Amino acid sequence: MAALAAVLAIALISFINMDARLVEGPLLTGNFQGTIDFDEIAIDGDRLSGFASADSGQVIYASYRIRSIEEQRRLQELGPSATLQVAGTYEEPRPPAHPYAFDMPGYLERHNASGMLEIKTLESAARVSGLHARLAGQRSDLIEHIDMSFPESLAMEAQALLLGDRSGMDAEQARIQRTLGITHLFAISGLHVGIVTGMVYFILLRLRVRKESATMLLLILLPLYAMLAGAAPSVMRACAMVVLVLGARLFRLHVSALQALSVSFILFLWMDPGLLQDIGFQLSYGASFGIIASLKLMEGASFLKSGLIVTAVSQLCLYPLLLFHFFEISVSSFIVNAFYVPLFTLVILPANFILLAATFLPLGIDGFLFSAYEPLRSWVDGLTVSLAGLPHQVWTPGRPSAGWLLFLAASVLLFFIQAEKRFRLRLLLILFIPPVLLSAKPYIDPGLHVSFIDVGQGDSALIELPYRKAVYLIDAGGVLRFDEKEFQEKKRRFEVGRQTVVPYLKGRGISSVDLFILSHPDADHAEGADEIFEELAVGDLHITPGSAANALMKKLAPFAHEARVELPKGGAGWQVGETKFMYLSPEDELYEGNDDSLVLLMDHQGQRFLFTGDLESEGEAGVVERYGPQLAGMTVLKVGHHGSKTSSSQLFLEALRPQVSVVSAGIDNRYGHPSPEVTARFGDLGLRLLSTAENGTIRMTIENGRVTVDTSRK
């Protein structure tokens, strides 16, 4: 343990000293015209993007919207590496929607990028030569070869396991893997590198190659395989360790696993300091350091027991990091991996290497092997889906703060130090007490929290009652889809529900929603709802009367079958503790549009919030006519219809005179929301107006009768 602490200290000091190598100062702005070199271009639908080197040597993130299918084909024929003559404009990256969403500025920083270039004109493009380009091209060809020669049910897995390409994996497959904690098995790691090394070494010896010559060949082939497999941090780490150990052996030197791991750790940070912020780098080295430091626990253990210990140690070492990055962990992974790790190590991974080799052989050997292997893999898939369907497998306490992260990591370290001396059952309390305390946090919080989530051009609001008595979600945002040509269709569409709303809830430690309210069936309010049902447990669903026949709601119905559906009208209400809720609209069961949105009034400790959906001026007038006196002096108004000029009428604002109003709208949206007429109206009345476009996600807390406001963008 002392040696490990020394290594980590040296690595930390090295990183601090190397920090000066990171890009400093503001990102590039203005226009650009010149040549950029891509190491690896990504083309998804009509969008080309990737990191490139400019004429100046600076790294930039460049993207280009492809104009036609002919242009798309020409660019694809270049291969993954290319030199482009372009003209464009540097754009400021959009800030994250909330603390748990994808952070583009941080992404650029991690890759030491100086700017974000939107290419306006593509003047010419040429293929790049060189070893790296040839390997990238070979990787692309192999991915395409697998796609063409493997059965559809096996192709995606083979591309992920053999070449590190997970682009073909859909959201449901990713969710199942996260639920069971087996995502790591579908990414190239030290396990894969070890198997590749063993297979190649065995074959070379069988071909009567001398051990020294076989070792030399491995020293050449392993770095090439790492690049061929996508050069993920876990692959580079494993290959570097093996190369260090084998290289030392040639000179009859002994290099321990810890020494190889430590040297590779420091060397990688020296070459790229930003790697320390890379999730894959953190997880790969975190697991490896933990396993090596715990080797004493495996002394004298059988092969099976050693495998279980390795699995448990790696899971325990990584769980604080997993919580920080993903806000949840699979509690079943400790058991599931005891079966899946040997299965992948001994059967699935070797089988994929053999199947790939067979596709290059004549006489239909691959067809015979596929016919034998595919039923087995289908059975494993069925078992995986069944296991993932079992309830209560995922623990979602949310993202721990820096203090909590250190507390959790310290408890793991203390457990291993004590267990190494002598394992006793009561030592498990060291592991269990910190997570229990972390899970209890929301249930001792007396505040009521309301979050207006920045979902771009759409609506989504979260209500967390005191002591986590209930969680309500109002709308789930959505993307307005317009007609696209076939070449414009992307493999992975942006999903607001899955990529913005769900991370916010899980980051807050929420894995289930007691009540999901869809104010009305417009795409920018309800298109992301199916992803909510896929990712979270939902108790009740409230939809506006008459909307069930809407096309979007019909599409949603299969996802919502487990929820209890109600169609409340104005006047319906309920109370939880001291918090009261009442619907003010609609009045009838005929859905005709925005004015039939569910309008919800919440009253807590005398502070009132009004959620209006897309209510327009006519609907506002009706609400004022029926409930005018109850609305005067409103605390918070969720502005109707994203601040459109058809909403927030003078009559409505004068009747409510809210202390704070929130507009949910996208940055630079095509509709010009909020309308200048509306913002002028608020200004003339002296009313405070916040916008998710400017302020990001807006969270308000009611405690002891007072409201505090916090925004994700200051």
Side-chain angles (χ1 to χ4, degrees):
M1 285 296 176
L4 178 60
V7 167
L8 293 176
I10 293 170
L12 181 60
I13 293 169
S14 301
F15 176 74
I16 293 172
N17 290 335
M18 291 183 290
D19 190 56
R21 295 179 58 188
L22 295 172
V23 170
E24 295 181 355
L27 294 174
L28 296 171
T29 58
N31 297 323
F32 172 87
Q33 185 166 6
T35 301
I36 57 175
D37 297 320
F38 284 90
D39 281 336
E40 189 164 354
I41 291 176
I43 297 178
D44 188 10
D46 65 346
R47 177 59 67 174
L48 175 153
S49 61
F51 287 98
S53 298
D55 297 333
S56 61
Q58 294 171 305
V59 176
I60 59 174
Y61 182 83
S63 61
Y64 172 66
R65 187 171 296 281
I66 299 170
R67 314 298 187 205
S68 66
I69 189 170
E70 291 78 18
E71 185 178 42
Q72 183 191 62
R73 287 171 179 164
R74 287 197 300 271
L75 290 169
Q76 288 174 334
E77 288 171 358
L78 293 173
S81 299
T83 296
L84 275 56
Q85 186 75 27
V86 304
T89 305
Y90 285 111
E91 296 188 346
E92 185 177 348
R94 290 191 175 184
H98 51 73
Y100 316 111
F102 174 70
D103 180 5
M104 189 63 188
Y107 183 66
L108 296 179
E109 181 183 343
R110 285 197 298 276
H111 288 83
N112 208 26
S114 301
M116 184 172 171
L117 178 67
E118 180 65 27
I119 300 170
K120 306 296 183 182
T121 305
L122 176 56
E123 298 171 4
S124 66
R127 186 188 297 267
V128 172
S129 59
L131 177 61
H132 186 279
R134 286 199 295 272
L135 285 172
Q138 189 62 50
R139 179 173 187 262
S140 180
D141 291 343
L142 280 172
I143 290 171
E144 185 176 354
H145 172 78
I146 290 172
D147 200 42
M148 299 294 293
S149 57
F150 274 57
E152 184 178 354
S153 62
L154 301 177
M156 181 281 296
E157 180 176 88
Q159 290 164 345
L161 290 176
L162 303 181
L163 298 167
D165 178 40
R166 293 164 56 91
S167 61
M169 186 175 297
D170 61 35
E172 179 61 12
Q173 290 170 317
R175 185 194 66 79
I176 289 172
Q177 291 168 16
R178 290 198 310 272
T179 299
L180 297 176
I182 57 174
T183 303
H184 63 100
L185 295 175
F186 295 85
I188 296 180
S189 64
L191 173 68
H192 299 65
V193 174
I195 290 176
V196 170
T197 302
M199 289 175 62
V200 172
Y201 193 69
F202 176 79
I203 291 170
L204 290 174
L205 292 182
R206 288 295 178 184
L207 293 175
R208 300 186 182 280
V209 176
R210 295 177 56 200
K211 290 184 178 181
E212 292 78 6
S213 300
T215 301
M216 287 293 297
L217 281 171
L218 281 171
L219 291 175
I220 298 171
L221 292 175
L222 280 174
L224 295 178
Y225 174 70
M227 296 174 68
L228 194 65
S234 58
V235 184
M236 298 301 292
R237 187 268 307 163
C239 285
M241 286 183 64
V242 175
V243 167
L244 285 169
V245 172
L246 292 179
R249 188 178 297 173
L250 283 177
F251 295 96
R252 306 199 186 287
L253 299 174
H254 174 71
V255 174
S256 69
L258 180 58
Q259 289 171 329
L261 188 67
S262 305
V263 169
S264 67
F265 184 78
I266 295 171
L267 284 176
F268 282 134
L269 283 185
W270 181 262
M271 292 185 293
D272 184 3
L275 276 174
L276 196 61
Q277 301 177 57
D278 185 272
I279 298 172
F281 185 84
Q282 293 174 10
L283 296 180
S284 179
Y285 274 95
S288 299
F289 273 123
I291 291 170
I292 291 173
S294 305
L295 288 176
K296 190 174 180 181
L297 297 175
M298 290 174 261
E299 290 180 357
S302 65
F303 174 78
L304 179 60
K305 187 176 179 181
S306 295
L308 292 174
I309 292 173
V310 167
T311 300
V313 166
S314 60
Q315 295 289 317
L316 286 174
C317 289
L318 295 180
Y319 98 83
L321 274 177
L322 291 171
L323 287 184
F324 183 79
H325 290 297
F326 306 110
F327 330 127
E328 63 183 7
I329 60 171
S330 169
V331 294
S332 63
S333 63
F334 294 91
I335 299 173
V336 171
N337 275 285
F339 168 71
Y340 277 85
V341 169
L343 176 66
F344 271 72
T345 304
L346 302 175
V347 180
I348 292 178
L349 188 55
N352 275 276
F353 277 110
I354 293 170
L355 290 169
L356 177 60
T359 60
F360 293 99
L361 298 176
L363 306 176
I365 295 174
D366 56 338
F368 170 75
L369 294 176
F370 283 132
S371 65
Y373 177 72
E374 193 170 12
L376 169 65
R377 196 63 191 85
S378 178
W379 177 83
V380 173
D381 278 342
L383 175 65
T384 304
V385 172
S386 298
L387 290 174
L390 298 175
H392 311 302
Q393 294 192 69
V394 179
W395 172 49
T396 311
R399 171 177 286 171
S401 64
W404 273 100
L405 187 65
L406 290 174
F407 181 38
L408 296 173
S411 71
V412 173
L413 181 61
L414 179 60
F415 168 78
F416 281 121
I417 291 174
Q418 295 300 318
E420 196 173 46
K421 296 175 182 176
R422 181 188 170 194
F423 177 76
R424 289 156 291 180
L425 282 176
R426 65 172 177 267
L427 290 179
L428 294 176
L429 291 175
I430 299 174
L431 288 176
F432 291 150
I433 289 177
V436 169
L437 294 176
L438 180 64
S439 297
K441 275 183 59 185
Y443 300 96
I444 58 175
D445 181 359
L448 183 146
H449 305 283
V450 177
S451 301
F452 298 94
I453 305 172
D454 178 12
V455 291
Q457 187 59 26
D459 258 28
S460 186
L462 175 69
I463 301 173
E464 303 168 67
L465 296 188
Y467 308 106
R468 196 54 69 80
K469 289 181 179 178
V471 172
Y472 300 158
L473 180 65
I474 304 174
D475 293 330
V479 178
L480 299 172
R481 309 286 184 188
F482 300 96
D483 291 337
E484 294 180 330
K485 296 179 181 178
E486 186 176 349
F487 85 93
Q488 295 176 309
E489 295 179 1
K490 295 177 173 56
K491 290 182 180 179
R492 290 189 176 184
R493 291 176 176 270
F494 177 71
E495 298 175 309
V496 170
R498 199 183 314 275
Q499 294 170 248
T500 303
V501 180
V502 168
Y504 186 76
L505 269 65
K506 289 189 175 183
R508 298 278 303 159
I510 297 168
S511 59
S512 62
V513 173
D514 298 283
L515 172 60
F516 187 12
I517 301 170
L518 290 177
S519 64
H520 65 299
D522 277 3
D524 56 345
H525 291 249
E527 192 261 351
D530 57 338
E531 298 140 31
I532 302 299
F533 283 104
E534 287 181 327
E535 296 282 349
L536 304 168
V538 177
D540 295 322
L541 172 65
H542 287 187
I543 62 175
T544 189
S547 66
N550 178 276
L552 194 153
M553 298 304 289
K554 286 182 177 178
K555 184 180 177 181
L556 176 64
F559 298 93
H561 67 279
E562 292 183 2
R564 296 179 294 274
V565 181
E566 294 184 23
L567 293 80
K569 294 193 299 183
W574 69 97
Q575 183 169 346
V576 180
E578 58 181 330
T579 312
K580 299 176 183 177
F581 296 89
M582 184 171 71
Y583 285 112
L584 308 186
S585 184
E587 283 297 291
D588 56 39
E589 298 182 359
L590 178 63
Y591 178 72
E592 296 179 307
N594 289 341
D595 277 334
D596 288 316
S597 297
L598 286 172
V599 177
L600 180 67
L601 175 66
M602 180 186 75
D603 188 333
H604 179 75
Q605 296 180 347
Q607 306 293 341
R608 290 165 301 142
F609 285 60
L610 188 65
F611 304 90
T612 59
D614 272 356
L615 197 67
E616 298 186 320
S617 56
E618 185 176 339
E620 292 172 348
V623 168
V624 169
E625 181 181 350
R626 294 189 298 274
Y627 301 100
Q630 296 176 245
L631 303 178
M634 185 66 58
T635 309
V636 177
L637 167 68
K638 199 292 294 181
V639 175
H641 204 185
H642 321 289
S644 166
K645 63 183 179 180
T646 61
S647 302
S648 303
S649 63
Q650 189 82 15
L651 169 70
F652 191 60
L653 295 182
E654 287 181 346
L656 273 66
R657 292 197 175 268
Q659 297 173 24
V660 182
S661 299
V662 177
V663 173
S664 185
I667 299 174
D668 299 327
N669 64 84
R670 65 174 64 194
Y671 308 100
H673 292 160
S675 164
E677 296 175 34
V678 169
T679 55
R681 232 174 268 153
F682 277 92
D684 292 342
L685 292 171
L687 303 176
R688 184 184 181 190
L689 183 63
L690 299 176
S691 167
T692 57
E694 294 181 5
N695 303 108
T697 295
I698 300 163
R699 184 161 68 93
M700 302 182 181
T701 301
I702 307 174
E703 191 170 355
N704 299 323
R706 296 183 57 195
V707 178
T708 57
V709 180
D710 185 40
T711 61
S712 63
R713 295 198 284 274
K714 306 299 182 185

